[in-house]
Amino acid sequence: ANQQLLYANLSLSDASAVTTWLKSQKIDYTLKNGGKDVWVPAEQIYQTRLDLAANGLPSGGGVGF
C-alpha cells in the first residue's frame, strides 16, 4: 500500500501514544527512523492527522507536512 509520512521525529512518548491510538482505530502504520517517524496509508493521512489532533496528539510537536 502507498504510505505517507504522518509525523516525523516524534519523541518516544508521542510515538507510543500515536501508535496506540492507530492500533485502536485499526489503522495500519509503519515506523521508520528508529521509531521516530510514523507512516500511514496515503488515503487515510489527512483524516488520521485531524483525528489525532482532536485527541491532543502528538503533544510535543514535530509535525510532518
Side-chain angles (χ1 to χ4, degrees), residues 47-58:
Q47 189 61 52
T48 300
R49 199 174 271 154
L50 287 171
D51 291 346
L52 281 163
N55 284 278
L57 294 167

Side-chain angles (χ1 to χ4, degrees), residues 12-53:
L12 230 55
S13 59
D14 275 339
S16 173
V18 166
T19 55
T20 297
W21 185 89
L22 291 171
K23 270 184 234 173
S24 75
Q25 301 300 307
K26 307 274 193 288
I27 296 170
D28 285 326
Y29 65 88
T30 304
L31 291 174
K32 299 183 183 177
N33 189 24
K36 294 181 191 168
D37 295 358
V38 181
W39 294 66
V40 298
E43 67 273 10
Q44 293 177 290
I45 185 106
Y46 299 112
Q47 189 61 52
T48 300
R49 199 174 271 154
L50 287 171
D51 291 346
L52 281 163

